[in-house]
Amino acid sequence: MIEQNAERVDAIVVGAGVAGLYAMHKLRGLGLDVVGIEAADGVGGTWFWNRYPGCRCDVPTIEYSYSFDEDLEQEWSFSEVMSAQPEIEDYLNHVADRFDLRRSFRFSTRVAAATFDEATSTWTVETDRGERLTAPWCVMATGSLSAPNLPPIPGIDSFAGRVAHTGLWPREGLDVAGKRVGIIGTGSSGMQSIPHLAREAKHLTVFQRTPNYSFPGQVAPVDDDLQAYVKANYRELRRMQRASGAGISGMAMPPAADGTARAVGAGAFGLAAGATGGASSAASGPPDRAAMAAVLEKMEEGFARMVRKRVHDAETAESLIPKDYRMGCKRLVVEIDYFETYNRDNVTLVDLRKGPITEISPTSVRTEQGDFEVDVLVLATGFDALTGPLTRIAVRGREGRLLADEWRDGPRAYLGLMASGFPNLFMITGPGSPSVLSNMVVSIEQHVDWIADAIAAHRTAGVTTMEPMPDAEEEWLDHVQEASIGTPYTAPSCNSWYVGANIDGKTRVILPYTGGVGRYREICDEVAADGYRGFALSGTASA
């Protein structure tokens, strides 16, 4: 039963990042009355919260952009090949203003619960401000990496100094000048922020559990010729993105120093696509895993030589080289002057494989190797990826089923878009979709377009509820697991956030779809063209 004081609208969008902004634009374009809910006081999502020093895109930024409006493509120009956080946040603010999206969002408001009412086929969303909104359609644009992982280290709450998580970086910044800083974690945010922290801090102590493979970031301006070329060829660039394995065309990369074309395949997503066999068509056949293993081995050897060349201390260099998992298992990280940072006199690397952290005291980080006094503690400890942004909200579907309970043994979502038992609840780039193994903007646009088409078609036909059938959901889950077999992500030695290994107690299953952006798009289009195969539809059309 809908509560009498609930505000009734046509659709609710949760989140005002890249996904939420486009979802709002698209659904409003259908003539729907839409309200958005956003925890931050501004737009940007990932690019609002991750303000840590050194935060930078790991995709050529021209490709990390919306394709839905040709005028937007022509009027906006990114200044750098791989832009830093402020420029991407500026871009998203420009989009919000250009399409008048802010007026539809309630900012500084967090969703506490979302409950499905079977009698009325509507969702009621409750916020931390005591508001209640109800709508037949609910779109969770909550992001894949928006639930920070705060490590349960004994004593961490007793620390007397300043504590900051890279994914919740203070807007005013963090003053570390003249201070002893400790940073836990050397994933993407750690490797990007460490050089900057080292230049400001009196002393920086890096606590590393697992070293990461990385590639140099492109800190270079977008020259006029490249800008003009891309603007003249955007349609081809977008076509290539959508058919690719990782959502990247490679057209927006500048030439290498010798004048030859630079392949983005050497970066995070190109490797992912190659390692997973992410092809544009099923006709491409299965990937050659043996050939990929040989390629990876040579790349790993080259990486080790590079680290040993850049890091002067031999013991430190060896600690920075991964030796117990294959390249591609974890996300390749963009780094700028990271390895040279360990040549500084004011930087200490603590390799936690030689003795882990035991507790945090009010003034230090204690390990089996000794105590390290710090004034400021930075947590570069990542996120509860893909599932955390959804399971941390009390989402209840049919018969009061709690999504967090349904996913306790691993997430179940047909196409990564919807879960059985949760009608009319859409997930943008949810578990079981390419999401974090792709250029997120390309995957987001594909999901939003598919969702908007489904809502438009079903409203016209009088359909009141749409949800996956359990058998279809199970088949997709099997396909996601099967596609990952033989990839670096599911190797026995691989313990990454792609399988939930960074979160204590989280069931370890492959979270993203590894079959590639192009093939995934084909499957989604085929499902829709076949009358939304695998979905149960109720209402006029089904009758």
Side-chain angles (χ1 to χ4, degrees):
M1 180 69 66
I2 299 174
E3 298 206 18
Q4 294 302 311
N5 64 345
E7 179 182 352
R8 303 187 184 193
V9 293
D10 295 324
I12 298 167
V13 173
V14 183
V18 176
L21 291 176
Y22 183 46
M24 179 61 69
H25 174 71
K26 192 77 175 181
L27 295 180
R28 282 194 341 197
L30 298 178
L32 302 184
D33 180 14
V34 190
V35 169
I37 308 295
E38 168 56 51
D41 63 11
V43 304
T46 289
W47 302 102
F48 177 95
W49 295 107
N50 289 267
R51 300 171 178 273
Y52 60 84
C55 181
R56 184 175 292 273
C57 193
D58 60 0
V59 172
T61 327
I62 289 174
E63 303 225 24
Y64 190 87
S65 62
Y66 290 117
S67 69
F68 67 85
D69 187 275
E70 293 188 22
D71 290 338
L72 174 64
E73 290 177 328
Q74 295 300 317
E75 72 190 23
W76 182 271
S77 297
F78 287 101
S79 65
E80 288 188 295
V81 174
M82 289 181 170
S83 295
Q85 177 270 335
E87 185 169 33
I88 301 175
E89 187 182 12
D90 287 348
Y91 170 69
L92 295 174
N93 274 281
H94 171 76
V95 171
D97 292 335
R98 190 189 190 286
F99 297 99
D100 190 24
L101 301 176
R102 292 182 205 276
R103 63 177 170 85
S104 296
F105 281 95
R106 313 271 173 89
F107 292 100
S108 300
T109 305
R110 190 174 293 276
V111 171
T115 306
F116 184 69
D117 186 332
E118 296 186 61
T120 60
S121 299
T122 58
W123 282 92
T124 297
V125 168
E126 301 173 57
T127 76
D128 61 355
R129 290 175 171 263
E131 300 169 300
R132 285 182 171 82
L133 301 96
T134 184
W137 307 97
C138 188
V139 179
M140 306 301 281
T142 47
S144 300
L145 300 172
S146 61
N149 174 35
L150 302 175
I153 303 172
I156 193 167
D157 292 335
S158 72
F159 184 67
R162 183 75 182 271
V163 179
H165 190 286
T166 50
L168 295 170
W169 203 257
R171 180 178 291 189
E172 70 276 11
L174 188 66
D175 182 12
V176 300
K179 294 181 172 64
R180 298 168 301 177
V181 180
I183 181 168
I184 300 175
T186 53
S188 180
S189 60
M191 292 182 75
Q192 288 185 341
S193 61
I194 282 168
H196 294 265
L197 294 172
R199 287 193 284 270
E200 298 295 328
K202 176 182 179 181
H203 192 89
L204 177 67
T205 304
V206 179
F207 298 93
Q208 173 191 269
R209 185 175 64 176
T210 308
N212 272 278
Y213 290 106
S214 60
F215 66 102
Q218 290 292 303
V219 185
V222 178
D223 64 56
D224 292 342
D225 289 343
L226 177 61
Q227 197 84 255
Y229 174 76
V230 169
K231 286 184 182 295
N233 293 278
Y234 255 125
R235 300 283 61 78
E236 177 63 10
L237 182 151
R238 302 305 187 190
R239 184 198 66 77
M240 292 171 64
Q241 283 182 321
R242 291 165 184 161
S244 70
I248 296 178
S249 74
M251 288 175 62
M253 290 294 285
D258 61 2
T260 60
R262 183 189 299 278
V264 76
F269 298 101
L271 177 60
T276 61
S280 61
S281 170
S284 300
D288 186 337
R289 307 295 189 196
M292 177 52 62
V295 170
L296 290 175
E297 185 174 353
K298 290 186 179 298
M299 293 176 71
E300 290 163 2
E301 292 171 354
F303 178 83
R305 288 194 297 272
M306 177 271 293
V307 174
R308 291 169 183 140
K309 181 177 180 180
R310 291 170 62 181
V311 179
H312 299 161
D313 181 75
E315 183 179 358
T316 300
E318 293 308 307
S319 289
L320 292 167
I321 299 171
K323 297 183 174 68
D324 55 359
Y325 67 91
R326 300 308 306 263
M327 181 178 285
C329 155
K330 297 177 182 288
R331 187 185 186 93
L332 282 174
V333 175
V334 174
E335 60 86 11
I336 299 168
D337 297 329
Y338 174 71
F339 296 103
E340 287 79 5
T341 298
Y342 292 98
N343 298 328
R344 299 176 62 99
D345 293 336
N346 71 327
V347 176
T348 300
L349 176 67
V350 180
D351 186 347
L352 297 177
R353 293 172 298 182
K354 300 176 181 178
I357 294 173
T358 56
E359 66 176 326
I360 307 292
S361 80
T363 60
S364 69
V365 177
R366 293 176 175 170
T367 77
E368 290 184 355
Q369 304 172 61
D371 287 11
F372 298 87
E373 298 287 326
V374 295
D375 306 308
V376 176
L377 185 60
V378 175
L379 304 177
T381 46
F383 302 89
D384 185 354
L386 283 96
T387 58
L390 295 165
T391 57
R392 294 186 184 190
I393 299 171
V395 180
R396 294 190 180 275
R398 293 191 185 277
E399 302 173 352
R401 289 152 58 181
L402 186 66
L403 184 67
D405 290 341
E406 297 293 303
W407 284 6
R408 196 171 302 281
D409 295 326
R412 311 174 75 82
Y414 184 35
L415 302 176
L417 279 161
M418 301 186 82
S420 177
F422 297 82
N424 297 5
L425 181 79
F426 294 101
M427 309 167 191
I428 299 179
T429 60
S433 73
S435 58
V436 293
L437 292 182
S438 70
N439 177 350
M440 289 296 293
V441 182
V442 174
S443 288
I444 283 167
E445 284 193 320
Q446 183 264 332
H447 263 195
V448 171
D449 289 341
W450 194 95
I451 290 167
D453 288 346
I455 290 176
H458 294 147
R459 277 171 55 87
T460 300
V463 170
T464 55
T465 64
M466 172 187 186
E467 68 178 298
M469 298 178 188
D471 287 350
E473 188 176 71
E474 189 68 29
E475 288 175 7
W476 181 250
L477 181 65
D478 289 344
H479 176 62
V480 169
Q481 300 304 313
E482 181 182 0
S484 70
I485 295 173
T487 68
Y489 311 117
T490 54
S493 62
C494 182
N495 292 303
S496 74
W497 59 263
Y498 289 141
V499 295
N502 64 317
I503 303 296
D504 290 344
K506 189 169 183 176
T507 300
R508 298 191 182 187
V509 294
I510 185 69
L511 296 171
Y513 176 59
T514 62
V517 165
R519 178 58 187 140
Y520 175 80
R521 180 183 294 269
E522 290 178 352
I523 294 170
C524 289
D525 289 347
E526 290 165 3
V527 166
D530 197 15
Y532 292 92
R533 182 180 69 245
F535 288 95
L537 310 175
S538 66
T540 304
S542 60

PDB file of all heavy atoms in Angstrom, residues 5 23 33 81 84 93 105 179 217 279 314-315 321 331 336 348 370 383 418 421 445 458 474 482 514 542:
ATOM      1  N   ASN A   5       1.437  10.061   2.236  1.00  0.00           N
ATOM      2  CA  ASN A   5       2.303  11.234   2.142  1.00  0.00           C
ATOM      3  C   ASN A   5       3.436  11.054   1.145  1.00  0.00           C
ATOM      4  O   ASN A   5       4.335  11.890   1.066  1.00  0.00           O
ATOM      5  CB  ASN A   5       2.875  11.587   3.516  1.00  0.00           C
ATOM      6  CG  ASN A   5       3.784  10.496   4.058  1.00  0.00           C
ATOM      7  OD1 ASN A   5       3.778   9.377   3.547  1.00  0.00           O
ATOM      8  ND2 ASN A   5       4.553  10.815   5.093  1.00  0.00           N
ATOM      9  N   ALA A  23      20.792   9.017 -17.469  1.00  0.00           N
ATOM     10  CA  ALA A  23      19.483   8.402 -17.228  1.00  0.00           C
ATOM     11  C   ALA A  23      18.416   9.475 -17.050  1.00  0.00           C
ATOM     12  O   ALA A  23      17.294   9.360 -17.577  1.00  0.00           O
ATOM     13  CB  ALA A  23      19.539   7.492 -16.006  1.00  0.00           C
ATOM     14  N   ASP A  33       7.926  12.165 -15.604  1.00  0.00           N
ATOM     15  CA  ASP A  33       8.202  12.986 -14.429  1.00  0.00           C
ATOM     16  C   ASP A  33       9.211  12.214 -13.587  1.00  0.00           C
ATOM     17  O   ASP A  33       8.880  11.168 -13.006  1.00  0.00           O
ATOM     18  CB  ASP A  33       6.900  13.220 -13.654  1.00  0.00           C
ATOM     19  CG  ASP A  33       7.114  14.075 -12.406  1.00  0.00           C
ATOM     20  OD1 ASP A  33       8.185  14.696 -12.287  1.00  0.00           O
ATOM     21  OD2 ASP A  33       6.209  14.100 -11.547  1.00  0.00           O
ATOM     22  N   VAL A  81      45.246  14.289 -22.706  1.00  0.00           N
ATOM     23  CA  VAL A  81      44.940  12.970 -23.259  1.00  0.00           C
ATOM     24  C   VAL A  81      44.225  12.116 -22.216  1.00  0.00           C
ATOM     25  O   VAL A  81      43.206  11.484 -22.504  1.00  0.00           O
ATOM     26  CB  VAL A  81      46.233  12.270 -23.730  1.00  0.00           C
ATOM     27  CG1 VAL A  81      45.936  10.839 -24.176  1.00  0.00           C
ATOM     28  CG2 VAL A  81      46.857  13.053 -24.875  1.00  0.00           C
ATOM     29  N   ALA A  84      42.918  14.857 -15.627  1.00  0.00           N
ATOM     30  CA  ALA A  84      42.856  14.764 -14.178  1.00  0.00           C
ATOM     31  C   ALA A  84      41.422  15.015 -13.706  1.00  0.00           C
ATOM     32  O   ALA A  84      40.579  15.533 -14.449  1.00  0.00           O
ATOM     33  CB  ALA A  84      43.808  15.774 -13.548  1.00  0.00           C
ATOM     34  N   ASN A  93      29.757  18.801 -14.873  1.00  0.00           N
ATOM     35  CA  ASN A  93      28.984  19.977 -14.480  1.00  0.00           C
ATOM     36  C   ASN A  93      28.473  20.727 -15.704  1.00  0.00           C
ATOM     37  O   ASN A  93      27.335  21.236 -15.708  1.00  0.00           O
ATOM     38  CB  ASN A  93      29.830  20.900 -13.599  1.00  0.00           C
ATOM     39  CG  ASN A  93      29.783  20.516 -12.134  1.00  0.00           C
ATOM     40  OD1 ASN A  93      28.829  20.821 -11.432  1.00  0.00           O
ATOM     41  ND2 ASN A  93      30.814  19.815 -11.669  1.00  0.00           N
ATOM     42  N   PHE A 105      17.165  16.828  -9.491  1.00  0.00           N
ATOM     43  CA  PHE A 105      17.843  16.051  -8.444  1.00  0.00           C
ATOM     44  C   PHE A 105      17.647  16.674  -7.070  1.00  0.00           C
ATOM     45  O   PHE A 105      17.597  17.897  -6.924  1.00  0.00           O
ATOM     46  CB  PHE A 105      19.342  15.946  -8.739  1.00  0.00           C
ATOM     47  CG  PHE A 105      19.692  14.914  -9.779  1.00  0.00           C
ATOM     48  CD1 PHE A 105      19.850  15.288 -11.111  1.00  0.00           C
ATOM     49  CD2 PHE A 105      19.853  13.586  -9.441  1.00  0.00           C
ATOM     50  CE1 PHE A 105      20.172  14.344 -12.081  1.00  0.00           C
ATOM     51  CE2 PHE A 105      20.170  12.630 -10.397  1.00  0.00           C
ATOM     52  CZ  PHE A 105      20.322  13.010 -11.723  1.00  0.00           C
ATOM     53  N   LYS A 179      54.093  16.844   7.924  1.00  0.00           N
ATOM     54  CA  LYS A 179      53.509  15.763   8.729  1.00  0.00           C
ATOM     55  C   LYS A 179      54.041  14.404   8.289  1.00  0.00           C
ATOM     56  O   LYS A 179      54.479  14.210   7.154  1.00  0.00           O
ATOM     57  CB  LYS A 179      51.975  15.782   8.616  1.00  0.00           C
ATOM     58  CG  LYS A 179      51.325  17.017   9.220  1.00  0.00           C
ATOM     59  CD  LYS A 179      49.813  16.943   9.100  1.00  0.00           C
ATOM     60  CE  LYS A 179      49.130  18.065   9.875  1.00  0.00           C
ATOM     61  NZ  LYS A 179      49.439  19.379   9.346  1.00  0.00           N
ATOM     62  N   GLY A 217      50.953   6.897 -17.265  1.00  0.00           N
ATOM     63  CA  GLY A 217      49.849   7.731 -17.703  1.00  0.00           C
ATOM     64  C   GLY A 217      50.279   8.710 -18.775  1.00  0.00           C
ATOM     65  O   GLY A 217      51.454   9.091 -18.860  1.00  0.00           O
ATOM     66  N   ALA A 279      35.349  -9.982 -27.867  1.00  0.00           N
ATOM     67  CA  ALA A 279      35.273  -9.744 -29.299  1.00  0.00           C
ATOM     68  C   ALA A 279      33.996  -9.032 -29.661  1.00  0.00           C
ATOM     69  O   ALA A 279      33.059  -8.965 -28.904  1.00  0.00           O
ATOM     70  CB  ALA A 279      35.357 -11.071 -30.051  1.00  0.00           C
ATOM     71  N   ALA A 314      67.601  -2.172  -4.538  1.00  0.00           N
ATOM     72  CA  ALA A 314      67.234  -3.469  -5.121  1.00  0.00           C
ATOM     73  C   ALA A 314      66.142  -4.170  -4.311  1.00  0.00           C
ATOM     74  O   ALA A 314      65.217  -4.763  -4.882  1.00  0.00           O
ATOM     75  CB  ALA A 314      68.476  -4.360  -5.220  1.00  0.00           C
ATOM     76  N   GLU A 315      66.220  -4.110  -2.980  1.00  0.00           N
ATOM     77  CA  GLU A 315      65.215  -4.786  -2.158  1.00  0.00           C
ATOM     78  C   GLU A 315      63.837  -4.142  -2.336  1.00  0.00           C
ATOM     79  O   GLU A 315      62.819  -4.838  -2.449  1.00  0.00           O
ATOM     80  CB  GLU A 315      65.622  -4.747  -0.686  1.00  0.00           C
ATOM     81  CG  GLU A 315      64.646  -5.495   0.228  1.00  0.00           C
ATOM     82  CD  GLU A 315      65.082  -5.476   1.686  1.00  0.00           C
ATOM     83  OE1 GLU A 315      66.163  -4.924   1.990  1.00  0.00           O
ATOM     84  OE2 GLU A 315      64.327  -6.017   2.528  1.00  0.00           O
ATOM     85  N   ILE A 321      57.486  -5.546  -7.362  1.00  0.00           N
ATOM     86  CA  ILE A 321      57.216  -6.385  -8.534  1.00  0.00           C
ATOM     87  C   ILE A 321      56.291  -7.537  -8.139  1.00  0.00           C
ATOM     88  O   ILE A 321      56.637  -8.351  -7.275  1.00  0.00           O
ATOM     89  CB  ILE A 321      58.533  -6.960  -9.112  1.00  0.00           C
ATOM     90  CG1 ILE A 321      59.455  -5.827  -9.560  1.00  0.00           C
ATOM     91  CG2 ILE A 321      58.228  -7.906 -10.277  1.00  0.00           C
ATOM     92  CD1 ILE A 321      60.857  -6.286  -9.935  1.00  0.00           C
ATOM     93  N   ARG A 331      43.362  -4.916 -11.935  1.00  0.00           N
ATOM     94  CA  ARG A 331      43.278  -3.785 -12.850  1.00  0.00           C
ATOM     95  C   ARG A 331      44.655  -3.151 -13.014  1.00  0.00           C
ATOM     96  O   ARG A 331      45.317  -2.818 -12.032  1.00  0.00           O
ATOM     97  CB  ARG A 331      42.290  -2.757 -12.297  1.00  0.00           C
ATOM     98  CG  ARG A 331      41.983  -1.601 -13.238  1.00  0.00           C
ATOM     99  CD  ARG A 331      41.104  -0.605 -12.511  1.00  0.00           C
ATOM    100  NE  ARG A 331      40.639   0.460 -13.365  1.00  0.00           N
ATOM    101  CZ  ARG A 331      39.485   0.426 -14.023  1.00  0.00           C
ATOM    102  NH1 ARG A 331      38.698  -0.638 -13.934  1.00  0.00           N
ATOM    103  NH2 ARG A 331      39.107   1.439 -14.776  1.00  0.00           N
ATOM    104  N   ILE A 336      52.214   7.804 -12.584  1.00  0.00           N
ATOM    105  CA  ILE A 336      53.052   8.904 -13.052  1.00  0.00           C
ATOM    106  C   ILE A 336      54.115   9.150 -11.990  1.00  0.00           C
ATOM    107  O   ILE A 336      53.804   9.565 -10.868  1.00  0.00           O
ATOM    108  CB  ILE A 336      52.221  10.183 -13.276  1.00  0.00           C
ATOM    109  CG1 ILE A 336      51.148   9.925 -14.346  1.00  0.00           C
ATOM    110  CG2 ILE A 336      53.116  11.354 -13.675  1.00  0.00           C
ATOM    111  CD1 ILE A 336      50.108  11.000 -14.438  1.00  0.00           C
ATOM    112  N   THR A 348      59.268   5.548   2.782  1.00  0.00           N
ATOM    113  CA  THR A 348      59.577   4.195   3.237  1.00  0.00           C
ATOM    114  C   THR A 348      58.492   3.250   2.752  1.00  0.00           C
ATOM    115  O   THR A 348      57.298   3.528   2.914  1.00  0.00           O
ATOM    116  CB  THR A 348      59.635   4.124   4.776  1.00  0.00           C
ATOM    117  OG1 THR A 348      60.654   5.010   5.250  1.00  0.00           O
ATOM    118  CG2 THR A 348      59.916   2.701   5.248  1.00  0.00           C
ATOM    119  N   GLY A 370      57.286  -4.038  13.105  1.00  0.00           N
ATOM    120  CA  GLY A 370      57.581  -2.904  13.970  1.00  0.00           C
ATOM    121  C   GLY A 370      56.482  -1.856  13.903  1.00  0.00           C
ATOM    122  O   GLY A 370      55.507  -1.996  13.159  1.00  0.00           O
ATOM    123  N   PHE A 383      37.125  -0.329  -2.814  1.00  0.00           N
ATOM    124  CA  PHE A 383      35.674  -0.299  -2.703  1.00  0.00           C
ATOM    125  C   PHE A 383      35.087  -1.703  -2.615  1.00  0.00           C
ATOM    126  O   PHE A 383      35.701  -2.678  -3.034  1.00  0.00           O
ATOM    127  CB  PHE A 383      35.072   0.400  -3.927  1.00  0.00           C
ATOM    128  CG  PHE A 383      35.569   1.799  -4.130  1.00  0.00           C
ATOM    129  CD1 PHE A 383      36.712   2.041  -4.888  1.00  0.00           C
ATOM    130  CD2 PHE A 383      34.926   2.878  -3.552  1.00  0.00           C
ATOM    131  CE1 PHE A 383      37.188   3.333  -5.074  1.00  0.00           C
ATOM    132  CE2 PHE A 383      35.390   4.174  -3.723  1.00  0.00           C
ATOM    133  CZ  PHE A 383      36.523   4.400  -4.487  1.00  0.00           C
ATOM    134  N   MET A 418      18.886  -6.466 -14.205  1.00  0.00           N
ATOM    135  CA  MET A 418      17.758  -6.628 -13.290  1.00  0.00           C
ATOM    136  C   MET A 418      17.901  -7.953 -12.541  1.00  0.00           C
ATOM    137  O   MET A 418      18.532  -8.892 -13.036  1.00  0.00           O
ATOM    138  CB  MET A 418      16.423  -6.632 -14.048  1.00  0.00           C
ATOM    139  CG  MET A 418      16.134  -5.381 -14.850  1.00  0.00           C
ATOM    140  SD  MET A 418      14.468  -5.391 -15.589  1.00  0.00           S
ATOM    141  CE  MET A 418      13.501  -4.853 -14.175  1.00  0.00           C
ATOM    142  N   GLY A 421      12.724 -11.196  -8.811  1.00  0.00           N
ATOM    143  CA  GLY A 421      12.098 -10.877  -7.540  1.00  0.00           C
ATOM    144  C   GLY A 421      12.110  -9.390  -7.219  1.00  0.00           C
ATOM    145  O   GLY A 421      11.562  -8.979  -6.192  1.00  0.00           O
ATOM    146  N   GLU A 445      26.095   4.306 -21.313  1.00  0.00           N
ATOM    147  CA  GLU A 445      25.153   4.748 -22.349  1.00  0.00           C
ATOM    148  C   GLU A 445      24.370   3.576 -22.928  1.00  0.00           C
ATOM    149  O   GLU A 445      23.156   3.680 -23.171  1.00  0.00           O
ATOM    150  CB  GLU A 445      25.895   5.486 -23.461  1.00  0.00           C
ATOM    151  CG  GLU A 445      26.297   6.899 -23.086  1.00  0.00           C
ATOM    152  CD  GLU A 445      26.754   7.721 -24.271  1.00  0.00           C
ATOM    153  OE1 GLU A 445      27.465   7.171 -25.142  1.00  0.00           O
ATOM    154  OE2 GLU A 445      26.397   8.906 -24.333  1.00  0.00           O
ATOM    155  N   HIS A 458       7.189  -0.683 -22.882  1.00  0.00           N
ATOM    156  CA  HIS A 458       6.260  -1.324 -21.957  1.00  0.00           C
ATOM    157  C   HIS A 458       5.185  -0.365 -21.455  1.00  0.00           C
ATOM    158  O   HIS A 458       4.044  -0.773 -21.222  1.00  0.00           O
ATOM    159  CB  HIS A 458       7.044  -1.960 -20.811  1.00  0.00           C
ATOM    160  CG  HIS A 458       7.903  -3.086 -21.270  1.00  0.00           C
ATOM    161  ND1 HIS A 458       9.121  -3.389 -20.703  1.00  0.00           N
ATOM    162  CD2 HIS A 458       7.738  -3.983 -22.279  1.00  0.00           C
ATOM    163  CE1 HIS A 458       9.657  -4.424 -21.330  1.00  0.00           C
ATOM    164  NE2 HIS A 458       8.839  -4.800 -22.297  1.00  0.00           N
ATOM    165  N   GLU A 474      19.621 -17.585 -14.120  1.00  0.00           N
ATOM    166  CA  GLU A 474      20.571 -18.664 -13.856  1.00  0.00           C
ATOM    167  C   GLU A 474      21.444 -18.940 -15.077  1.00  0.00           C
ATOM    168  O   GLU A 474      22.661 -19.146 -14.957  1.00  0.00           O
ATOM    169  CB  GLU A 474      19.815 -19.927 -13.453  1.00  0.00           C
ATOM    170  CG  GLU A 474      20.687 -21.063 -12.934  1.00  0.00           C
ATOM    171  CD  GLU A 474      21.336 -20.749 -11.597  1.00  0.00           C
ATOM    172  OE1 GLU A 474      20.746 -19.967 -10.825  1.00  0.00           O
ATOM    173  OE2 GLU A 474      22.436 -21.276 -11.337  1.00  0.00           O
ATOM    174  N   GLU A 482      31.240 -19.021 -17.205  1.00  0.00           N
ATOM    175  CA  GLU A 482      31.899 -19.776 -18.274  1.00  0.00           C
ATOM    176  C   GLU A 482      32.827 -18.873 -19.087  1.00  0.00           C
ATOM    177  O   GLU A 482      33.933 -19.271 -19.464  1.00  0.00           O
ATOM    178  CB  GLU A 482      30.838 -20.392 -19.190  1.00  0.00           C
ATOM    179  CG  GLU A 482      31.405 -21.234 -20.327  1.00  0.00           C
ATOM    180  CD  GLU A 482      30.328 -21.798 -21.235  1.00  0.00           C
ATOM    181  OE1 GLU A 482      29.133 -21.534 -20.985  1.00  0.00           O
ATOM    182  OE2 GLU A 482      30.685 -22.499 -22.201  1.00  0.00           O
ATOM    183  N   THR A 514      33.093 -10.853 -18.727  1.00  0.00           N
ATOM    184  CA  THR A 514      34.392 -10.759 -19.387  1.00  0.00           C
ATOM    185  C   THR A 514      34.327 -10.999 -20.885  1.00  0.00           C
ATOM    186  O   THR A 514      35.360 -11.073 -21.543  1.00  0.00           O
ATOM    187  CB  THR A 514      35.373 -11.774 -18.760  1.00  0.00           C
ATOM    188  OG1 THR A 514      34.862 -13.096 -18.960  1.00  0.00           O
ATOM    189  CG2 THR A 514      35.554 -11.525 -17.273  1.00  0.00           C
ATOM    190  N   SER A 542       0.988  -8.707 -21.620  1.00  0.00           N
ATOM    191  CA  SER A 542       1.078 -10.134 -21.320  1.00  0.00           C
ATOM    192  C   SER A 542      -0.289 -10.793 -21.372  1.00  0.00           C
ATOM    193  O   SER A 542      -0.429 -11.954 -21.722  1.00  0.00           O
ATOM    194  CB  SER A 542       1.702 -10.334 -19.940  1.00  0.00           C
ATOM    195  OG  SER A 542       0.918  -9.719 -18.941  1.00  0.00           O
TER     196      SER A 542
END
